[in-house]
Amino acid sequence: MEASVILPILKKKLAFLSGGKDRRSGLILTIPLCLEQTNMDELSVTLDYLLSIPSEKCKARGFTVIVDGRKSQWNVVKTVVLMLQVILVSANKLTRYIEPCQLTEDFGGTLTYDHMDWLNKRLVFEKFTKESTSLLDELALINNGTEKGSQQEKDRSVDINFLPSVDPETVLQTGHELLSELQQRRFNGSDGGVSWSPMDDELLAQPQVMKLLDSLREQYTRYQEVCRQRSKRTQLEEIQQKVMQVVNWLEGPGSEQLRTQWGIGDSIRASQALQQKHEEIESQHSEWFAVYVELNQQIAALLNAGDEEDLVELKALQQQLSDVCYRQASQLEFRQNLLQAALEFHSVAQDLSQQLDGLLGMLCVDVAPSDGASIQQTLKLLEEKLKSVDLGLQGLREKGQGLLDQISNQASWAYGKDVTTENKENVDHIQGVMEDMQLRKQRCEDMVDVRRLKMLQMVQLFKCEEDAAQAVEWLSELLDALLKTHIRLGDDAQETKVLLEKHRKFVDVAQSTYDYGRQLLQATVVLCQSLRCTSRSSGDTLPRLNRVWKQFTITSEERVHRLETAVAFHSNAEKILQECPEQAEAINEMEQFDEIEAVGKSLLDRLTVPVVYPDGTEQYFGSPSDMASTAEHIREKMKLVSLKKQQLRQPEATTTES
């Protein structure tokens, strides 16, 4: 019977154990009857409850029952006395059997008793006893089931009874508070008097509380260990489950995603699209890699604080997880590097293709340069473009070879299947691009060689034309020099002969200049035929050259004629002037004087005659003053010859008169 069940009856205080004892150490049971009619059933229930409290040892010592009928009717007292079979004793004789200190104040004693306080403590005790007993059974069931039962039974028992019906911490706290209260009331008397313990070891079974607390602590400690082991096992199972989720996804859908991505694209746009798809795959993998990092940290923490029996399993899980994640991460990195290399390869190929298109477009346009400098500039630009193409092709080969090396390292483990066929397509594409670029570059090189030859011929053509024009200029300058500076006819025969010799050398220079110009113009004709074009300058350069040369020839012949006439004049004049008058032969050759005079006059006349060219133009040697100076010198010499002639005639006249 529990106090909580009959609490309304107990509150009526129909009977109570005050905690006092008789001289035999028997407990004192007090029944305070009141004026109101006492319910015998309720009294009986109360007595049954109170008599169930003491221990068997205490019950063996008996009880002293005090029926206080002073405030009740006799028939009620009689009924109780008969029911209990007790002896009637007056109140003033109680001290014969009981010490005053064991009697309450109602019977003249000093024992203090608070029924409601006792009842509250009794309720607390019974509640603690009930909860602790039930908790002990639950904890024992949990602990024993976890330790001894099979795995299936353990799981089933844990599922049902793993959580106790009450909080062990709360029950323990209640027990400690109750034990502390009991110990305090037992050893500390009120108002410094003798201690009163209505709930001592006999009434409330303080050892029972202590025993329950000890049992609870023991079972709770075991329960905590069970919980810890179960929590660790649960955590280990959760980790194992998560590890398998990560492993299954990476080896399943994750690997399948990579398995379907093997191409490298055939252009920049295609490679970029593949990269974007790969980034999406990486994004999905990143979520699982984040779970891997978290699991790895949890496993590391368990390894640091785990038991020996768990170390092998934890390390195996950690190794399995790390192997799968690192293998998958390596595949992702390999795929990313492959796509990046493919993108760089296609980028270089596109740049090279654009360079080849530009070079081809430049070669397809006909060249119409204005001069040799522009041709040289165009040649330089062609060479630079060709060099740029060479560098681009070299870069393409390097990128292509690097990409081929990566593809050759793409073994079957990379995607979990044989990728030989796919690799062959990629390799064929890469080699095809490089071969196509090589062929295009070779065609451009051939066209550049042809264009280079043509442009060099054009440079040579322009050079020949320029040099031919220069030869005409030189010949014109020689003609001008001949007319303006080759004026003197010499003061004597010797000087005139020197001038004649110099003139012949001067003519040789002009002849070589003319021949050089003719050769250049002939070369321009050959080059024009080779280039299938017409010369811009050879059409008028040749007539100019021939015209200047004709003028020079006429002028030169006139110069030679004058010099030769001057040589004859000076030679004959000097010969006559140097002969002695005594010579009879000289006197008889007067006709020589006439010839000299005729030559001199002819020379003077020639000095006044201009050089007439085929086109009707006329040119004079030197200026009028130059011609006057030359004519004056000839006249002076003619005067000397005339004077010599007169001198020769005078002796002849004298001889005739005599």
Side-chain angles (χ1 to χ4, degrees):
M1 186 180 298
E2 297 180 0
S4 60
V5 177
I6 59 173
L7 182 60
I9 298 176
L10 293 177
K11 286 184 177 181
K12 293 180 180 181
K13 199 179 178 181
L14 299 179
F16 63 88
L17 291 170
S18 64
K21 298 179 181 179
D22 58 17
R23 297 183 187 277
R24 296 176 294 109
S25 297
L27 295 177
I28 298 174
L29 175 63
T30 304
I31 303 176
L33 300 177
C34 58
L35 294 176
E36 298 179 356
Q37 185 67 32
T38 302
N39 190 320
M40 290 301 146
D41 294 334
E42 292 181 351
L43 178 60
S44 177
V45 170
T46 302
L47 292 176
D48 290 341
Y49 175 74
L50 292 176
L51 293 176
S52 67
I53 294 176
S55 63
E56 296 298 328
K57 181 180 178 180
C58 184
K59 290 179 182 179
R61 290 196 294 266
F63 293 88
T64 296
V65 181
I66 300 177
V67 180
D68 186 2
R70 292 174 295 180
K71 298 180 180 180
S72 178
Q73 298 177 0
W74 168 246
N75 58 347
V76 176
V77 175
K78 182 179 178 181
T79 301
V80 173
V81 170
L82 291 175
M83 182 180 64
L84 298 176
Q85 297 180 0
V86 297
I87 302 175
L88 294 176
V89 179
S90 61
N92 55 3
K93 293 182 180 180
L94 288 175
T95 55
R96 294 179 183 179
Y97 304 97
I98 304 171
E99 293 292 337
C101 63
Q102 299 296 321
L103 293 173
T104 62
E105 294 177 354
D106 294 337
F107 302 105
T110 59
L111 181 63
T112 301
Y113 174 73
D114 186 341
H115 184 70
M116 293 307 297
D117 180 68
W118 174 85
L119 183 58
N120 290 332
K121 293 297 186 296
R122 186 65 191 176
L123 289 172
V124 173
F125 169 75
E126 288 185 354
K127 180 181 179 183
F128 167 73
T129 303
K130 180 180 179 181
E131 290 181 348
S132 60
T133 302
S134 175
L135 181 60
L136 282 172
D137 293 339
E138 293 176 357
L139 293 178
L141 178 62
I142 294 172
N143 295 336
N144 295 335
T146 303
E147 292 176 355
K148 298 180 181 180
S150 64
Q151 184 65 39
Q152 183 177 1
E153 292 174 350
K154 270 197 294 184
D155 294 341
R156 183 168 61 252
S157 64
V158 167
D159 292 339
I160 300 175
N161 301 315
F162 187 75
L163 293 178
S165 58
V166 293
D167 182 20
E169 293 286 349
T170 303
V171 176
L172 284 172
Q173 183 178 358
T174 301
H176 284 299
E177 292 176 353
L178 178 60
L179 182 61
S180 177
E181 180 70 18
L182 292 175
Q183 290 174 345
Q184 183 178 3
R185 292 175 63 84
R186 179 178 178 84
F187 297 107
N188 295 330
S190 60
D191 299 331
V194 179
S195 64
W196 173 81
S197 103
M199 300 181 73
D200 62 1
D201 56 337
E202 293 178 335
L203 293 177
L204 212 72
Q206 179 178 333
Q208 183 180 357
V209 176
M210 296 177 65
K211 183 178 180 180
L212 286 172
L213 286 174
D214 291 341
S215 299
L216 277 175
R217 280 191 291 267
E218 179 184 356
Q219 291 294 336
Y220 184 53
T221 301
R222 293 176 58 195
Y223 169 73
Q224 287 179 318
E225 179 62 21
V226 169
C227 290
R228 189 185 69 82
Q229 293 293 337
R230 179 60 183 175
S231 176
K232 184 177 67 174
R233 172 53 56 182
T234 301
Q235 186 178 10
L236 187 60
E237 291 176 353
E238 290 177 354
I239 290 176
Q240 185 177 11
Q241 183 180 4
K242 290 181 179 179
V243 167
M244 293 312 300
Q245 288 178 351
V246 174
V247 170
N248 291 336
W249 190 90
L250 291 178
E251 292 183 341
S255 296
E256 184 62 27
Q257 288 178 346
L258 286 176
R259 198 174 292 119
T260 59
Q261 299 293 314
W262 53 265
I264 61 173
D266 57 359
S267 63
I268 293 178
R269 181 175 298 179
S271 295
Q272 289 175 340
L274 289 174
Q275 275 191 332
Q276 184 176 0
K277 178 63 178 178
H278 183 73
E279 289 174 358
E280 296 175 0
I281 295 175
E282 281 187 332
S283 177
Q284 296 180 20
H285 279 75
S286 297
E287 299 176 1
W288 292 97
F289 288 153
V291 176
Y292 156 70
V293 173
E294 181 181 355
L295 288 175
N296 200 34
Q297 293 175 350
Q298 294 178 4
I299 293 174
L302 290 177
L303 286 174
N304 293 332
D307 298 332
E308 292 294 333
E309 59 186 20
D310 300 328
L311 292 180
V312 176
E313 184 176 1
L314 285 172
K315 288 182 178 179
L317 283 175
Q318 188 181 42
Q319 187 64 41
Q320 181 184 14
L321 183 63
S322 298
D323 291 344
V324 173
C325 289
Y326 280 123
R327 183 169 61 251
Q328 199 75 357
S330 298
Q331 295 174 15
L332 288 171
E333 184 180 8
F334 175 84
R335 175 65 179 168
Q336 177 62 33
N337 293 336
L338 183 67
L339 289 177
Q340 182 62 35
L343 179 62
E344 293 176 359
F345 173 77
H346 289 123
S347 178
V348 173
Q350 179 174 301
D351 292 341
L352 179 58
S353 179
Q354 292 175 352
Q355 291 177 2
L356 289 170
D357 290 340
L359 180 58
L360 183 61
M362 184 177 179
L363 293 171
C364 291
V365 176
D366 195 12
V367 181
S370 59
D371 52 27
S374 62
I375 293 178
Q376 293 290 349
Q377 185 176 0
T378 305
L379 274 174
K380 182 179 180 182
L381 182 59
L382 274 177
E383 296 295 340
E384 290 176 353
K385 284 185 174 293
L386 189 59
K387 183 178 180 181
S388 178
V389 168
D390 286 336
L391 293 176
L393 184 59
Q394 181 180 357
L396 181 67
R397 288 171 178 167
E398 293 175 356
K399 294 294 183 182
Q401 187 59 48
L403 186 56
L404 290 173
D405 292 341
Q406 290 190 30
I407 292 177
S408 65
N409 294 329
Q410 184 180 355
S412 60
W413 63 265
Y415 300 113
K417 69 169 186 176
D418 187 6
V419 293
T420 305
T421 303
E422 289 82 356
N423 279 347
K424 185 176 185 305
E425 293 181 5
N426 293 333
V427 169
D428 291 344
H429 168 69
I430 295 169
Q431 292 177 345
V433 170
M434 291 193 294
E435 291 173 359
D436 179 63
M437 293 299 172
Q438 176 64 38
L439 291 175
R440 291 177 60 186
K441 187 248 184 184
Q442 186 62 47
R443 288 195 296 268
C444 286
E445 280 185 340
D446 295 340
M447 295 178 68
V448 167
D449 291 339
V450 174
R451 178 57 59 88
R452 184 188 296 112
L453 177 60
K454 181 177 180 180
M455 298 187 76
L456 289 176
Q457 288 178 341
M458 294 182 70
V459 170
Q460 188 176 4
L461 174 61
F462 285 140
K463 181 64 175 176
C464 289
E465 291 178 345
E466 292 174 0
D467 291 348
Q470 184 65 49
V472 174
E473 294 298 326
W474 288 341
L475 198 57
S476 298
E477 292 175 359
L478 291 175
L479 175 60
D480 188 62
L482 178 60
L483 290 170
K484 293 181 179 180
T485 61
H486 293 216
I487 301 169
R488 295 183 68 252
L489 297 178
D491 296 336
D492 51 35
Q494 184 63 34
E495 184 180 1
T496 303
K497 289 178 181 180
V498 172
L499 291 174
L500 183 60
E501 184 63 27
K502 289 182 178 180
H503 177 72
R504 289 192 177 97
K505 293 180 179 180
F506 184 78
V507 172
D508 292 340
V509 173
Q511 180 68 50
S512 62
T513 303
Y514 171 73
D515 294 340
Y516 176 66
R518 292 281 298 184
Q519 293 172 0
L520 291 173
L521 291 175
Q522 290 175 357
T524 58
V525 172
V526 175
L527 290 173
C528 286
Q529 291 175 351
S530 176
L531 295 172
R532 297 179 182 179
C533 66
T534 58
S535 175
R536 298 176 305 169
S537 58
S538 60
D540 61 347
T541 303
L542 181 58
R544 286 176 52 211
L545 179 65
N546 291 331
R547 183 175 60 255
V548 174
W549 176 246
K550 185 64 176 178
Q551 292 175 352
F552 184 87
T553 303
I554 294 172
T555 306
S556 175
E557 290 175 353
E558 178 62 24
R559 174 66 174 171
V560 171
H561 188 273
R562 291 184 182 187
L563 286 174
E564 289 178 348
T565 303
V567 169
F569 171 74
H570 288 300
S571 297
N572 293 330
E574 290 172 359
K575 182 178 179 182
I576 291 174
L577 292 175
Q578 291 176 0
E579 290 179 351
C580 296
E582 291 80 12
Q583 295 179 354
E585 296 178 357
I587 297 174
N588 297 327
E589 297 179 358
M590 293 300 293
E591 63 273 10
Q592 293 181 359
F593 288 96
D594 297 336
E595 182 180 353
I596 293 172
E597 288 178 357
V599 172
K601 289 179 181 180
S602 175
L603 187 57
L604 289 175
D605 292 339
R606 200 154 190 109
L607 290 177
T608 60
V609 176
V611 180
V612 181
Y613 299 134
D615 58 358
T617 59
E618 299 178 351
Q619 289 289 341
Y620 289 92
F621 281 95
S623 61
S625 60
D626 294 333
M627 288 190 296
S629 176
T630 302
E632 183 63 27
H633 182 70
I634 293 173
R635 289 190 186 98
E636 289 179 356
K637 205 159 201 177
M638 289 178 66
K639 288 179 181 180
L640 292 176
V641 172
S642 178
L643 183 59
K644 181 68 174 177
K645 178 180 179 182
Q646 292 176 3
Q647 291 176 357
L648 291 176
R649 283 181 176 179
Q650 288 177 359
E652 181 181 355
T654 304
T655 305
T656 303
E657 291 177 355
S658 58

